[in-house]
């Protein structure tokens, strides 16, 4: 089944404790991206990647890192999480020349 | 700066009602507009619109784009409780494949 998977789905952590949210897709998509969704603010892009080893900042990259060592994986790293990073995070992927994105199931992160 | 505005922000209706959701945009070199439905999980694709005046239809849902007035509408007829969701609009513009999302319209359909 074609899909985007994220892990973990739920995470509660404390300020400053490094964490990684994994994202994997099995559709051979070149383009992958991370979004955060907050009430009243819609989806805001954090980082995106057009292909392996090619990443770029989105609208709200501060406090996040990403890497794209393999085509199927695009992990999101929070080196020192803070409470303002409490949010619902979505990974998405698509073919580079396409517009329709496929979203993962979301990761709800709480930083205390 | 590209801008996508959805209205209303929220809407509460009863089953059987017809609703119209609006997405207006101000972007440079418009390329396409997409509608997504988000229930209590990931957004799922509904429609992609690139040309004015051509209606896209899927069951009770339909959408149309007006490139002159810079907006799109999403119509849902004979609403059902399963239509309750956040409806997101995303616009692609310029030479970029990175979309600008609106804040979404939250639709609640009561039985």
């Amino acid at each position: 089944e074609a899909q985007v998977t994220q892990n973990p789905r739920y995470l509660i952590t404390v300020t400053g404790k490094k964490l990684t949210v994994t994202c994997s897709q099995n559709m051979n998509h070149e383009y992958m991206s991370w979004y955060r969704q907050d009430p009243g603010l819609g989806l805001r892009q954090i980082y995106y990647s057009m292909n392996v080893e090619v990443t770029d900042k989105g609208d709200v990259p501060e406090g996040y890192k990403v890497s794209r060592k393999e085509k199927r994986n695009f992990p999101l790293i929070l080196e020192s999480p803070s409470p303002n990073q409490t949010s619902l995070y979505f990974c998405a992927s698509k073919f580079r020349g396409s517009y329709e994105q496929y979203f993962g199931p979301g990761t709800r992160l709480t930083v205390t | 700066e590209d801008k996508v505005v959805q209205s209303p922000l929220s809407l509460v209706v009863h089953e059987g009602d017809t609703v119209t959701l609006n997405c207006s945009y101000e972007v440079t070199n418009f390329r396409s507009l997409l509608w997504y439905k988000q229930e209590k999980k990931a957004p799922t694709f509904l429609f992609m619109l690139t040309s004015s005046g051509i209606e896209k239809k899927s069951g009770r849902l339909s959408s149309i784009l007006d490139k002159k007035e810079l907006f799109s509408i999403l119509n849902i007829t004979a609403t059902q409780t399963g239509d309750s969701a956040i409806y997101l609009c995303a616009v692609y513009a310029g030479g970029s494949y990175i979309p600008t999302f609106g804040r979404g319209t939250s639709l609640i359909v009561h039985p």
Side-chain angles (χ1 to χ4, degrees):
Chain A
E1 179 191 354
Q3 60 182 346
V4 179
T5 57
Q6 292 178 229
N7 282 292
R9 296 288 313 281
Y10 303 90
L11 180 59
I12 301 174
T13 190
V14 296
T15 297
K17 186 176 180 182
K18 180 179 178 180
L19 67 92
T20 299
V21 184
T22 65
C23 172
S24 183
Q25 50 91 8
N26 62 0
M27 294 170 278
N28 203 34
H29 288 163
E30 297 91 358
Y31 176 94
M32 297 185 75
S33 61
W34 277 102
Y35 294 88
R36 60 178 289 172
Q37 187 174 38
D38 303 289
L41 295 178
L43 281 169
R44 294 182 293 167
Q45 191 176 64
I46 303 170
Y47 269 94
Y48 65 95
S49 169
M50 298 295 282
N51 214 326
V52 176
E53 301 291 3
V54 180
T55 63
D56 210 342
K57 297 178 181 178
D59 297 321
V60 288
E62 295 77 19
Y64 304 94
K65 283 174 58 175
V66 293
S67 69
R68 187 92 182 271
K69 293 183 170 46
E70 304 166 283
K71 195 172 188 179
R72 63 184 293 128
N73 295 324
F74 191 44
L76 179 70
I77 303 154
L78 284 72
E79 295 269 4
S80 182
S82 62
N84 65 11
Q85 292 178 297
T86 292
S87 188
L88 178 60
Y89 291 86
F90 287 103
C91 179
S93 72
K94 67 180 183 71
F95 288 114
R96 191 166 54 193
S98 166
Y99 296 110
E100 179 188 346
Q101 293 192 81
Y102 295 80
F103 286 84
T107 295
R108 188 165 290 283
L109 172 66
T110 302
V111 184
T112 62
Chain B
E1 181 183 330
D2 294 341
K3 194 161 72 169
V4 177
V5 178
Q6 292 187 243
S7 62
L9 289 180
S10 65
L11 194 52
V12 180
V13 300
H14 288 96
E15 272 193 320
D17 290 349
T18 293
V19 298
T20 298
L21 311 182
N22 189 286
C23 175
S24 62
Y25 59 90
E26 291 179 28
V27 301
T28 304
N29 296 328
F30 171 89
R31 292 167 65 187
S32 68
L33 185 149
L34 281 74
W35 285 97
Y36 289 86
K37 177 183 181 182
Q38 184 181 16
E39 297 172 84
K40 290 187 187 295
K41 47 184 179 175
T44 54
F45 172 77
L46 291 175
F47 299 113
M48 184 174 81
L49 302 149
T50 55
S51 301
S52 275
I54 299 175
E55 185 184 54
K56 294 287 183 86
K57 198 169 171 63
S58 176
R60 296 174 295 102
L61 277 67
S62 64
S63 184
I64 198 160
L65 175 68
D66 187 327
K67 290 170 73 173
K68 184 180 175 187
E69 300 297 331
L70 309 182
F71 74 93
S72 172
I73 59 172
L74 175 67
N75 275 321
I76 309 175
T77 59
T79 52
Q80 302 172 356
T81 55
D83 295 325
S84 296
I86 296 172
Y87 291 85
L88 296 166
C89 170
V91 174
Y92 288 85
S96 172
Y97 285 99
I98 301 159
T100 300
F101 277 88
R103 295 185 177 189
T105 293
S106 173
L107 172 65
I108 297 174
V109 181
H110 286 308

